[in-house]
Amino acid sequence: MLGEVQESRMFFSLAGTDRDVAVPLALAAAGGHDRLGPAARDFLAVVLAAQPDAPRVADYADRTPDPGAGRALPAAVRRDVVRTAVVLVVLSEQPAGADHARLAAAAAALEVVEPAVDVVAAIAADAVPLTLVRTVEFDAYRTPLPRDFALLPAYSRFLALPPAAIHGTAPDPRLAAPFAALAALPPGSAGRHFADFYAAHRWRMPGTPGGVALPLTLHDWLHVYIGATTEPLGEVEVGAFACGTTRHRYGFHNLLIVLLMFEYGMVTAMSGGPGLAPEGARAARGLAREGARGITGDPEGGRMVADAYLRGRSTGTDLYLGVDHLEQAPRPLEKVRADFAVLPRGHFAAVARPAPGDPG
């Protein structure tokens, strides 16, 4: 079971030769510098600026990729190359079949098997089955619950409950009681912030009739920890932070699913929520990007998504799945943030902001 939980990487955090090989390969797989939209360029600018020597996207615009050197990179870095290219394509203008073909060829040349490449093909077809963006939250709707959840501190205390209680389809006082207690915690505590967050949105606590399903609360705890809004960009920031902080093998999908939902409009095809039977997960969900654009429609979108991802990486702890959130609830929120090194919003984006007249 230990193999089910492993470190999730994305984007090369290496300086020097490996990065200088990896970045041109990622750009080429994404279609080149000129194929990138503004949000994709801003995203990559923030990621690169977090490197020790703070290179710029423009530094790599005209570099010729070296596939031979790419194949010599460590396996994790080769996977980073492909995943970075996927995100850059998704953040650019409408991906097409040619984008998928190019990404698939790049992955094959680097000897990387990355299912997320097929997400681009699905976007090009305007319909995405959720099986392509499998996350821990969606897996939590399986019956019986996956046994490896016992290894995740965020879930372990609830595994004795019936699946219907965890899925939010039946009330259970054993689940309702610890969440109801959050409203009585002192102001300023993490748990009180969580209770106030739910009250402000008129959401019912897990375990109560019509309550939020337990798996979705893991996402909501991150809203509290990082102070993200429930506007589209805030939702994507939470997914990006989860992608950065978690060590789980599905971590990359936390970013992909929120991009699909709030940038490509898949959230409008999920009116029943993500609590799906397996046949529902296989059903293709339609996209409606022009009515969404939660990232590319915001001039700060690309920067803030990268900022949230890097803030997640900076925690050094899996703050998404590796923490018992109810155990943290009585503690002051600022203390929780300090202990887990949750940096303020904009910490990395500010470093990457170019000076006037600087192309970045």
Side-chain angles (χ1 to χ4, degrees), residues 183-209:
L185 291 174
S189 64
R192 180 63 175 273
H193 274 279
F194 185 93
D196 292 346
F197 177 65
Y198 265 49
H201 292 87
R202 298 184 179 180
W203 298 337
R204 297 178 181 178
M205 288 290 190
T208 62

Side-chain angles (χ1 to χ4, degrees), residues 121-183:
I123 292 174
D126 282 328
V128 181
L130 292 182
T131 48
L132 287 181
V133 280
R134 185 176 175 183
T135 67
V136 169
E137 288 176 17
F138 294 161
D139 256 17
Y141 286 95
R142 290 164 53 190
T143 301
L145 288 171
R147 289 183 299 167
D148 62 287
F149 277 27
L151 298 174
L152 304 175
Y155 274 103
S156 57
R157 71 159 71 198
F158 299 110
L159 292 184
L161 297 176
I166 292 175
H167 298 164
T169 57
D172 192 306
R174 293 169 294 177
L175 180 58
F179 279 94
L182 299 179

Side-chain angles (χ1 to χ4, degrees), residues 38-354:
R41 292 182 189 176
D42 287 348
F43 180 94
L44 186 57
V46 173
V47 170
L48 290 177
Q51 307 293 320
D53 50 343
R56 303 179 308 162
V57 176
D59 295 339
Y60 294 96
D62 298 320
R63 294 199 189 184
T64 301
D66 184 343
R71 286 189 290 273
L73 292 170
V77 179
R78 284 184 276 122
R79 186 182 64 183
D80 286 349
V81 169
V82 176
R83 288 182 169 183
T84 301
V86 168
V87 173
L88 294 176
V89 168
V90 170
L91 284 174
S92 295
E93 284 311 299
Q94 184 62 36
D99 292 302
H100 173 253
R102 187 176 55 252
L103 285 166
L110 290 171
E111 300 176 345
V112 170
V113 177
E114 176 49 69
V117 169
D118 289 336
V119 171
V120 175
I123 292 174
D126 282 328
V128 181
L130 292 182
T131 48
L132 287 181
V133 280
R134 185 176 175 183
T135 67
V136 169
E137 288 176 17
F138 294 161
D139 256 17
Y141 286 95
R142 290 164 53 190
T143 301
L145 288 171
R147 289 183 299 167
D148 62 287
F149 277 27
L151 298 174
L152 304 175
Y155 274 103
S156 57
R157 71 159 71 198
F158 299 110
L159 292 184
L161 297 176
I166 292 175
H167 298 164
T169 57
D172 192 306
R174 293 169 294 177
L175 180 58
F179 279 94
L182 299 179
L185 291 174
S189 64
R192 180 63 175 273
H193 274 279
F194 185 93
D196 292 346
F197 177 65
Y198 265 49
H201 292 87
R202 298 184 179 180
W203 298 337
R204 297 178 181 178
M205 288 290 190
T208 62
V212 172
L214 177 67
L216 300 185
T217 65
L218 305 187
H219 172 97
D220 293 337
W221 281 108
L222 296 186
H223 269 284
V224 170
Y225 295 151
I226 71 173
T229 72
T230 55
E231 295 299 313
L233 179 55
E235 294 289 355
V236 178
E237 287 180 40
V238 170
F241 185 93
C243 173
T245 191
T246 189
R247 300 328 186 234
H248 197 276
R249 61 194 176 116
Y250 296 156
F252 180 43
H253 292 179
N254 285 94
L255 175 56
L256 287 182
I257 186 63
V258 290
L259 287 174
L260 288 169
M261 290 172 68
F262 298 101
E263 171 65 19
Y264 283 85
M266 194 169 76
V267 69
T268 61
M270 298 176 71
S271 57
L276 302 166
E279 59 272 17
R282 287 192 294 271
R285 301 305 178 102
L287 304 179
R289 190 179 192 185
E290 292 312 313
R293 290 196 174 274
I295 309 308
T296 58
D298 188 314
E300 290 295 298
R303 291 181 183 277
M304 298 316 300
V305 175
D307 178 84
Y309 167 75
L310 292 168
R311 289 163 63 208
R313 280 296 295 258
S314 297
T315 60
T317 299
D318 186 343
L319 198 52
Y320 173 53
L321 300 172
V323 170
D324 183 333
H325 299 289
L326 291 176
E327 188 176 88
Q328 299 297 321
R331 305 179 63 224
L333 176 58
E334 292 306 320
K335 179 66 172 171
V336 173
R337 288 171 172 166
D339 287 351
F340 290 107
V342 178
L343 296 170
R345 184 177 188 267
H347 176 88
F348 291 100
V351 174
R353 190 175 298 281

